[in-house]
Each structure stands twice: as C-alpha cells, then as structure tokens.
Amino acid sequence: MAITDGTPVVLPEMGPLAGMGVVERMRSIGVHIDVAVEVPRPARATQEQANLLGISVGDMLLQIERTYYDTDGHPVETADIVVADVRWEVAYEIPIEQRKTQQS
C-alpha cells in the first residue's frame, strides 16, 4: 500500500491496468522492476488447497514465493503460487547473456 495507494495499481485485477503484468503496472506509476526472485518449495496439500485445486489432501504441491524488486533493491510486490504436482509441470527458461567478442 505504501507504493500503490491512490494509484490505478492498488487493485491489480481491476481498473484500467487489469490484466497487465507486474512490470508494466509498476512502470505505469514510476516504479521500475529490476529483478524477480522465486523460491520454490515442495509441500503437501492442505484441506483448503486440495479443495481449491481439485486434488486430495496430502498430494504433492510446488509452492513458489515470487518477489519483485525495484532498481533500489526494495521489494515491491510478492505472490504465493501453488501448483498441483500431479497436474502441472513447472519449467524455467533462463536467458544466457552473450559477451561480445572483439574482432582482430
């Protein structure tokens, strides 16, 4: 709320910026995202999670804690993502920075 209060970003699923990603929404209010960090952890489904995901209590889950940081290193948004292991696969694509070589 310290960052988004009084802006169209305060309710990310409503208003003129609904459906836009975190980077675009934050940029619209002058906050520039530098990095997102994800911490994946295995877990077992609680009753509430099982009900929401249509799986059984105790089924394996992947819980992902995602935090977006601005260019000053301050966290500006976080999300807790829960993925049912039996239904989805999580894959990460990691871009590799290419160094430019000097031509002789």
Side-chain angles (χ1 to χ4, degrees):
M1 292 301 289
I3 297 169
T4 62
D5 192 32
T7 73
V9 179
V10 72
L11 298 172
E13 301 304 320
M14 302 173 148
L17 303 174
M20 293 180 78
V22 173
V23 174
E24 293 83 10
R25 284 188 283 111
M26 289 297 178
R27 187 182 304 124
S28 77
I29 60 169
V31 176
H32 298 278
I33 303 297
D34 185 50
V35 68
V37 175
E38 289 190 347
V39 180
R41 294 182 183 96
R44 299 232 176 238
T46 65
Q47 182 68 60
E48 181 181 12
Q49 291 167 328
N51 291 345
L52 290 169
L53 297 171
I55 59 176
S56 298
V57 172
D59 279 358
M60 290 300 301
L61 299 173
L62 181 61
Q63 294 181 329
I64 304 169
E65 177 185 293
R66 180 186 296 158
T67 305
Y68 292 90
Y69 294 88
D70 68 13
T71 53
D72 293 325
H74 299 113
V76 297
E77 183 164 308
T78 188
D80 293 318
I81 302 159
V82 179
V83 179
D85 189 64
V86 297
R87 297 216 174 143
W88 298 96
E89 177 180 75
V90 175
Y92 289 91
E93 181 176 308
I94 303 168
I96 306 300
E97 200 173 310
Q98 301 297 318
R99 287 199 272 177
K100 293 183 181 183
T101 60
Q102 291 182 338
Q103 294 181 350
S104 323

